[in-house]
Structure formats: C-alpha cells, structure tokens
PDB file of all heavy atoms in Angstrom:
ATOM      1  N   GLU A   1     311.137  92.120 151.279  1.00  0.00           N
ATOM      2  CA  GLU A   1     312.392  91.532 150.818  1.00  0.00           C
ATOM      3  C   GLU A   1     312.145  90.322 149.921  1.00  0.00           C
ATOM      4  O   GLU A   1     312.778  90.164 148.874  1.00  0.00           O
ATOM      5  CB  GLU A   1     313.261  91.136 152.016  1.00  0.00           C
ATOM      6  CG  GLU A   1     313.906  92.303 152.725  1.00  0.00           C
ATOM      7  CD  GLU A   1     314.973  92.953 151.857  1.00  0.00           C
ATOM      8  OE1 GLU A   1     316.067  92.378 151.731  1.00  0.00           O
ATOM      9  OE2 GLU A   1     314.686  94.027 151.276  1.00  0.00           O
ATOM     10  N   TYR A   2     311.229  89.456 150.323  1.00  0.00           N
ATOM     11  CA  TYR A   2     310.903  88.308 149.476  1.00  0.00           C
ATOM     12  C   TYR A   2     310.305  88.752 148.151  1.00  0.00           C
ATOM     13  O   TYR A   2     310.599  88.185 147.092  1.00  0.00           O
ATOM     14  CB  TYR A   2     309.948  87.353 150.199  1.00  0.00           C
ATOM     15  CG  TYR A   2     310.656  86.235 150.930  1.00  0.00           C
ATOM     16  CD1 TYR A   2     310.824  86.269 152.305  1.00  0.00           C
ATOM     17  CD2 TYR A   2     311.172  85.146 150.232  1.00  0.00           C
ATOM     18  CE1 TYR A   2     311.486  85.241 152.975  1.00  0.00           C
ATOM     19  CE2 TYR A   2     311.833  84.122 150.886  1.00  0.00           C
ATOM     20  CZ  TYR A   2     311.987  84.175 152.257  1.00  0.00           C
ATOM     21  OH  TYR A   2     312.645  83.163 152.922  1.00  0.00           O
ATOM     22  N   ALA A   3     309.473  89.778 148.176  1.00  0.00           N
ATOM     23  CA  ALA A   3     308.873  90.288 146.942  1.00  0.00           C
ATOM     24  C   ALA A   3     309.939  90.824 145.997  1.00  0.00           C
ATOM     25  O   ALA A   3     309.761  90.813 144.775  1.00  0.00           O
ATOM     26  CB  ALA A   3     307.853  91.378 147.262  1.00  0.00           C
ATOM     27  N   ALA A   4     311.061  91.279 146.556  1.00  0.00           N
ATOM     28  CA  ALA A   4     312.150  91.821 145.749  1.00  0.00           C
ATOM     29  C   ALA A   4     313.161  90.753 145.342  1.00  0.00           C
ATOM     30  O   ALA A   4     314.210  91.072 144.774  1.00  0.00           O
ATOM     31  CB  ALA A   4     312.861  92.928 146.518  1.00  0.00           C
ATOM     32  N   GLY A   5     312.862  89.484 145.638  1.00  0.00           N
ATOM     33  CA  GLY A   5     313.744  88.403 145.232  1.00  0.00           C
ATOM     34  C   GLY A   5     314.883  88.132 146.196  1.00  0.00           C
ATOM     35  O   GLY A   5     315.824  87.415 145.862  1.00  0.00           O
ATOM     36  N   ARG A   6     314.805  88.688 147.402  1.00  0.00           N
ATOM     37  CA  ARG A   6     315.857  88.475 148.384  1.00  0.00           C
ATOM     38  C   ARG A   6     315.362  87.569 149.512  1.00  0.00           C
ATOM     39  O   ARG A   6     314.168  87.352 149.663  1.00  0.00           O
ATOM     40  CB  ARG A   6     316.333  89.819 148.941  1.00  0.00           C
ATOM     41  CG  ARG A   6     316.985  90.711 147.883  1.00  0.00           C
ATOM     42  CD  ARG A   6     317.534  91.992 148.478  1.00  0.00           C
ATOM     43  NE  ARG A   6     316.479  92.932 148.842  1.00  0.00           N
ATOM     44  CZ  ARG A   6     316.017  93.903 148.058  1.00  0.00           C
ATOM     45  NH1 ARG A   6     316.482  94.028 146.821  1.00  0.00           N
ATOM     46  NH2 ARG A   6     315.077  94.738 148.481  1.00  0.00           N
ATOM     47  N   THR A   7     316.299  87.061 150.307  1.00  0.00           N
ATOM     48  CA  THR A   7     315.967  86.154 151.407  1.00  0.00           C
ATOM     49  C   THR A   7     316.403  86.797 152.715  1.00  0.00           C
ATOM     50  O   THR A   7     317.581  86.747 153.081  1.00  0.00           O
ATOM     51  CB  THR A   7     316.675  84.799 151.229  1.00  0.00           C
ATOM     52  OG1 THR A   7     316.366  84.260 149.944  1.00  0.00           O
ATOM     53  CG2 THR A   7     316.224  83.815 152.311  1.00  0.00           C
ATOM     54  N   PRO A   8     315.499  87.440 153.442  1.00  0.00           N
ATOM     55  CA  PRO A   8     315.870  88.172 154.660  1.00  0.00           C
ATOM     56  C   PRO A   8     316.062  87.251 155.854  1.00  0.00           C
ATOM     57  O   PRO A   8     315.652  86.088 155.846  1.00  0.00           O
ATOM     58  CB  PRO A   8     314.662  89.086 154.868  1.00  0.00           C
ATOM     59  CG  PRO A   8     313.512  88.274 154.341  1.00  0.00           C
ATOM     60  CD  PRO A   8     314.061  87.534 153.141  1.00  0.00           C
ATOM     61  N   ASN A   9     316.696  87.785 156.891  1.00  0.00           N
ATOM     62  CA  ASN A   9     316.822  87.092 158.171  1.00  0.00           C
ATOM     63  C   ASN A   9     316.069  87.917 159.213  1.00  0.00           C
ATOM     64  O   ASN A   9     316.586  88.924 159.707  1.00  0.00           O
ATOM     65  CB  ASN A   9     318.302  86.952 158.564  1.00  0.00           C
ATOM     66  CG  ASN A   9     318.485  86.125 159.828  1.00  0.00           C
ATOM     67  OD1 ASN A   9     317.780  86.304 160.810  1.00  0.00           O
ATOM     68  ND2 ASN A   9     319.431  85.205 159.799  1.00  0.00           N
ATOM     69  N   PRO A  10     314.829  87.533 159.545  1.00  0.00           N
ATOM     70  CA  PRO A  10     314.021  88.360 160.448  1.00  0.00           C
ATOM     71  C   PRO A  10     314.567  88.445 161.867  1.00  0.00           C
ATOM     72  O   PRO A  10     314.349  89.455 162.547  1.00  0.00           O
ATOM     73  CB  PRO A  10     312.647  87.684 160.414  1.00  0.00           C
ATOM     74  CG  PRO A  10     312.929  86.277 159.994  1.00  0.00           C
ATOM     75  CD  PRO A  10     314.098  86.350 159.062  1.00  0.00           C
ATOM     76  N   CYS A  11     315.296  87.411 162.335  1.00  0.00           N
ATOM     77  CA  CYS A  11     315.866  87.476 163.682  1.00  0.00           C
ATOM     78  C   CYS A  11     316.932  88.571 163.754  1.00  0.00           C
ATOM     79  O   CYS A  11     317.013  89.312 164.737  1.00  0.00           O
ATOM     80  CB  CYS A  11     316.472  86.130 164.070  1.00  0.00           C
ATOM     81  SG  CYS A  11     315.248  84.822 164.262  1.00  0.00           S
ATOM     82  N   LEU A  12     317.739  88.667 162.711  1.00  0.00           N
ATOM     83  CA  LEU A  12     318.746  89.717 162.657  1.00  0.00           C
ATOM     84  C   LEU A  12     318.083  91.089 162.636  1.00  0.00           C
ATOM     85  O   LEU A  12     318.498  92.012 163.339  1.00  0.00           O
ATOM     86  CB  LEU A  12     319.623  89.502 161.424  1.00  0.00           C
ATOM     87  CG  LEU A  12     320.845  90.393 161.247  1.00  0.00           C
ATOM     88  CD1 LEU A  12     321.931  89.630 160.498  1.00  0.00           C
ATOM     89  CD2 LEU A  12     320.487  91.653 160.470  1.00  0.00           C
ATOM     90  N   ARG A  13     317.038  91.218 161.825  1.00  0.00           N
ATOM     91  CA  ARG A  13     316.349  92.511 161.728  1.00  0.00           C
ATOM     92  C   ARG A  13     315.687  92.879 163.047  1.00  0.00           C
ATOM     93  O   ARG A  13     315.667  94.043 163.451  1.00  0.00           O
ATOM     94  CB  ARG A  13     315.306  92.454 160.618  1.00  0.00           C
ATOM     95  CG  ARG A  13     314.807  93.805 160.171  1.00  0.00           C
ATOM     96  CD  ARG A  13     315.910  94.654 159.545  1.00  0.00           C
ATOM     97  NE  ARG A  13     316.450  94.033 158.347  1.00  0.00           N
ATOM     98  CZ  ARG A  13     317.747  93.830 158.136  1.00  0.00           C
ATOM     99  NH1 ARG A  13     318.643  94.213 159.040  1.00  0.00           N
ATOM    100  NH2 ARG A  13     318.177  93.264 157.031  1.00  0.00           N
ATOM    101  N   CYS A  14     315.155  91.890 163.768  1.00  0.00           N
ATOM    102  CA  CYS A  14     314.521  92.155 165.066  1.00  0.00           C
ATOM    103  C   CYS A  14     315.552  92.649 166.078  1.00  0.00           C
ATOM    104  O   CYS A  14     315.297  93.586 166.838  1.00  0.00           O
ATOM    105  CB  CYS A  14     313.836  90.890 165.572  1.00  0.00           C
ATOM    106  SG  CYS A  14     312.934  91.116 167.125  1.00  0.00           S
ATOM    107  N   ASN A  15     316.728  92.012 166.087  1.00  0.00           N
ATOM    108  CA  ASN A  15     317.778  92.483 166.993  1.00  0.00           C
ATOM    109  C   ASN A  15     318.188  93.905 166.659  1.00  0.00           C
ATOM    110  O   ASN A  15     318.384  94.733 167.551  1.00  0.00           O
ATOM    111  CB  ASN A  15     319.002  91.553 166.903  1.00  0.00           C
ATOM    112  CG  ASN A  15     318.799  90.261 167.655  1.00  0.00           C
ATOM    113  OD1 ASN A  15     318.196  90.245 168.716  1.00  0.00           O
ATOM    114  ND2 ASN A  15     319.284  89.166 167.102  1.00  0.00           N
ATOM    115  N   GLU A  16     318.317  94.184 165.363  1.00  0.00           N
ATOM    116  CA  GLU A  16     318.764  95.506 164.936  1.00  0.00           C
ATOM    117  C   GLU A  16     317.725  96.580 165.227  1.00  0.00           C
ATOM    118  O   GLU A  16     318.041  97.610 165.850  1.00  0.00           O
ATOM    119  CB  GLU A  16     319.061  95.479 163.433  1.00  0.00           C
ATOM    120  CG  GLU A  16     319.452  96.836 162.860  1.00  0.00           C
ATOM    121  CD  GLU A  16     319.530  96.840 161.349  1.00  0.00           C
ATOM    122  OE1 GLU A  16     318.967  95.913 160.716  1.00  0.00           O
ATOM    123  OE2 GLU A  16     320.141  97.770 160.791  1.00  0.00           O
ATOM    124  N   LYS A  17     316.487  96.363 164.791  1.00  0.00           N
ATOM    125  CA  LYS A  17     315.475  97.420 164.813  1.00  0.00           C
ATOM    126  C   LYS A  17     314.644  97.465 166.097  1.00  0.00           C
ATOM    127  O   LYS A  17     314.156  98.530 166.472  1.00  0.00           O
ATOM    128  CB  LYS A  17     314.538  97.260 163.619  1.00  0.00           C
ATOM    129  CG  LYS A  17     315.220  97.441 162.270  1.00  0.00           C
ATOM    130  CD  LYS A  17     315.737  98.858 162.101  1.00  0.00           C
ATOM    131  CE  LYS A  17     316.321  99.084 160.723  1.00  0.00           C
ATOM    132  NZ  LYS A  17     316.839 100.458 160.557  1.00  0.00           N
ATOM    133  N   ILE A  18     314.465  96.317 166.746  1.00  0.00           N
ATOM    134  CA  ILE A  18     313.591  96.284 167.923  1.00  0.00           C
ATOM    135  C   ILE A  18     314.411  96.210 169.214  1.00  0.00           C
ATOM    136  O   ILE A  18     314.457  97.161 169.993  1.00  0.00           O
ATOM    137  CB  ILE A  18     312.618  95.092 167.843  1.00  0.00           C
ATOM    138  CG1 ILE A  18     311.791  95.154 166.550  1.00  0.00           C
ATOM    139  CG2 ILE A  18     311.698  95.094 169.062  1.00  0.00           C
ATOM    140  CD1 ILE A  18     310.945  96.400 166.397  1.00  0.00           C
ATOM    141  N   LYS A  19     315.124  95.107 169.436  1.00  0.00           N
ATOM    142  CA  LYS A  19     315.771  94.896 170.728  1.00  0.00           C
ATOM    143  C   LYS A  19     316.922  95.855 170.998  1.00  0.00           C
ATOM    144  O   LYS A  19     317.191  96.210 172.153  1.00  0.00           O
ATOM    145  CB  LYS A  19     316.250  93.445 170.820  1.00  0.00           C
ATOM    146  CG  LYS A  19     315.104  92.442 170.823  1.00  0.00           C
ATOM    147  CD  LYS A  19     315.594  91.015 170.807  1.00  0.00           C
ATOM    148  CE  LYS A  19     314.421  90.045 170.748  1.00  0.00           C
ATOM    149  NZ  LYS A  19     314.850  88.644 170.601  1.00  0.00           N
ATOM    150  N   PHE A  20     317.635  96.266 169.933  1.00  0.00           N
ATOM    151  CA  PHE A  20     318.780  97.135 170.169  1.00  0.00           C
ATOM    152  C   PHE A  20     318.677  98.464 169.429  1.00  0.00           C
ATOM    153  O   PHE A  20     319.667  99.099 169.139  1.00  0.00           O
ATOM    154  CB  PHE A  20     320.073  96.406 169.799  1.00  0.00           C
ATOM    155  CG  PHE A  20     320.387  95.294 170.748  1.00  0.00           C
ATOM    156  CD1 PHE A  20     320.006  93.999 170.461  1.00  0.00           C
ATOM    157  CD2 PHE A  20     321.026  95.557 171.941  1.00  0.00           C
ATOM    158  CE1 PHE A  20     320.273  92.977 171.346  1.00  0.00           C
ATOM    159  CE2 PHE A  20     321.299  94.534 172.842  1.00  0.00           C
ATOM    160  CZ  PHE A  20     320.915  93.237 172.545  1.00  0.00           C
ATOM    161  N   GLU A  21     317.484  98.866 169.118  1.00  0.00           N
ATOM    162  CA  GLU A  21     317.263 100.225 168.622  1.00  0.00           C
ATOM    163  C   GLU A  21     316.076 100.812 169.371  1.00  0.00           C
ATOM    164  O   GLU A  21     316.236 101.682 170.222  1.00  0.00           O
ATOM    165  CB  GLU A  21     317.028 100.238 167.109  1.00  0.00           C
ATOM    166  CG  GLU A  21     316.927 101.647 166.538  1.00  0.00           C
ATOM    167  CD  GLU A  21     316.911 101.663 165.019  1.00  0.00           C
ATOM    168  OE1 GLU A  21     317.866 101.157 164.407  1.00  0.00           O
ATOM    169  OE2 GLU A  21     315.924 102.186 164.446  1.00  0.00           O
ATOM    170  N   ALA A  22     314.892 100.290 169.088  1.00  0.00           N
ATOM    171  CA  ALA A  22     313.698 100.833 169.741  1.00  0.00           C
ATOM    172  C   ALA A  22     313.752 100.627 171.262  1.00  0.00           C
ATOM    173  O   ALA A  22     313.514 101.561 172.044  1.00  0.00           O
ATOM    174  CB  ALA A  22     312.448 100.181 169.160  1.00  0.00           C
ATOM    175  N   VAL A  23     314.080  99.410 171.703  1.00  0.00           N
ATOM    176  CA  VAL A  23     314.105  99.128 173.142  1.00  0.00           C
ATOM    177  C   VAL A  23     315.245  99.869 173.826  1.00  0.00           C
ATOM    178  O   VAL A  23     315.060 100.489 174.886  1.00  0.00           O
ATOM    179  CB  VAL A  23     314.219  97.610 173.393  1.00  0.00           C
ATOM    180  CG1 VAL A  23     314.471  97.330 174.879  1.00  0.00           C
ATOM    181  CG2 VAL A  23     312.949  96.906 172.949  1.00  0.00           C
ATOM    182  N   LEU A  24     316.432  99.813 173.235  1.00  0.00           N
ATOM    183  CA  LEU A  24     317.578 100.476 173.852  1.00  0.00           C
ATOM    184  C   LEU A  24     317.370 101.985 173.915  1.00  0.00           C
ATOM    185  O   LEU A  24     317.673 102.618 174.930  1.00  0.00           O
ATOM    186  CB  LEU A  24     318.848 100.143 173.086  1.00  0.00           C
ATOM    187  CG  LEU A  24     320.152 100.708 173.658  1.00  0.00           C
ATOM    188  CD1 LEU A  24     320.351 100.265 175.102  1.00  0.00           C
ATOM    189  CD2 LEU A  24     321.330 100.279 172.802  1.00  0.00           C
ATOM    190  N   ASP A  25     316.828 102.562 172.853  1.00  0.00           N
ATOM    191  CA  ASP A  25     316.565 104.004 172.867  1.00  0.00           C
ATOM    192  C   ASP A  25     315.596 104.372 173.984  1.00  0.00           C
ATOM    193  O   ASP A  25     315.795 105.368 174.695  1.00  0.00           O
ATOM    194  CB  ASP A  25     315.994 104.454 171.519  1.00  0.00           C
ATOM    195  CG  ASP A  25     317.043 104.471 170.416  1.00  0.00           C
ATOM    196  OD1 ASP A  25     318.237 104.317 170.734  1.00  0.00           O
ATOM    197  OD2 ASP A  25     316.662 104.622 169.241  1.00  0.00           O
ATOM    198  N   ARG A  26     314.542 103.567 174.144  1.00  0.00           N
ATOM    199  CA  ARG A  26     313.568 103.848 175.196  1.00  0.00           C
ATOM    200  C   ARG A  26     314.196 103.651 176.571  1.00  0.00           C
ATOM    201  O   ARG A  26     313.945 104.429 177.501  1.00  0.00           O
ATOM    202  CB  ARG A  26     312.338 102.945 175.036  1.00  0.00           C
ATOM    203  CG  ARG A  26     311.227 103.265 176.008  1.00  0.00           C
ATOM    204  CD  ARG A  26     310.027 102.334 175.867  1.00  0.00           C
ATOM    205  NE  ARG A  26     309.347 102.477 174.582  1.00  0.00           N
ATOM    206  CZ  ARG A  26     308.211 101.844 174.280  1.00  0.00           C
ATOM    207  NH1 ARG A  26     307.641 101.032 175.174  1.00  0.00           N
ATOM    208  NH2 ARG A  26     307.655 102.006 173.098  1.00  0.00           N
ATOM    209  N   ALA A  27     315.012 102.601 176.705  1.00  0.00           N
ATOM    210  CA  ALA A  27     315.654 102.325 177.989  1.00  0.00           C
ATOM    211  C   ALA A  27     316.564 103.478 178.408  1.00  0.00           C
ATOM    212  O   ALA A  27     316.538 103.928 179.567  1.00  0.00           O
ATOM    213  CB  ALA A  27     316.454 101.024 177.896  1.00  0.00           C
ATOM    214  N   VAL A  28     317.360 103.977 177.476  1.00  0.00           N
ATOM    215  CA  VAL A  28     318.267 105.088 177.787  1.00  0.00           C
ATOM    216  C   VAL A  28     317.473 106.332 178.165  1.00  0.00           C
ATOM    217  O   VAL A  28     317.818 107.056 179.097  1.00  0.00           O
ATOM    218  CB  VAL A  28     319.202 105.367 176.591  1.00  0.00           C
ATOM    219  CG1 VAL A  28     319.995 106.650 176.813  1.00  0.00           C
ATOM    220  CG2 VAL A  28     320.144 104.189 176.367  1.00  0.00           C
ATOM    221  N   ALA A  29     316.372 106.564 177.443  1.00  0.00           N
ATOM    222  CA  ALA A  29     315.534 107.727 177.747  1.00  0.00           C
ATOM    223  C   ALA A  29     314.934 107.634 179.146  1.00  0.00           C
ATOM    224  O   ALA A  29     314.670 108.662 179.785  1.00  0.00           O
ATOM    225  CB  ALA A  29     314.423 107.851 176.698  1.00  0.00           C
ATOM    226  N   LEU A  30     314.737 106.409 179.623  1.00  0.00           N
ATOM    227  CA  LEU A  30     314.163 106.207 180.958  1.00  0.00           C
ATOM    228  C   LEU A  30     315.232 106.138 182.045  1.00  0.00           C
ATOM    229  O   LEU A  30     314.907 105.895 183.213  1.00  0.00           O
ATOM    230  CB  LEU A  30     313.336 104.913 180.971  1.00  0.00           C
ATOM    231  CG  LEU A  30     312.040 104.951 180.153  1.00  0.00           C
ATOM    232  CD1 LEU A  30     311.407 103.561 180.085  1.00  0.00           C
ATOM    233  CD2 LEU A  30     311.053 105.953 180.747  1.00  0.00           C
TER     234      LEU A  30
END
C-alpha cells in the first residue's frame, strides 16, 4: 500500500483478515 502511494491502517486489516476472518473461520470449523 505504501509503495502504491497510499496510507494503510494495519490494525484495521488485522481485524478484518486475521481476528475476524482466519480466526473466526477456524473457530466455527472447530
């Protein structure tokens, strides 16, 4: 994102992709 001239928010991305996608998907599967 920085290389493309944008300013990302990594905390938002972590919530989206890790805590409430990867983790939630695994939790539901279990």
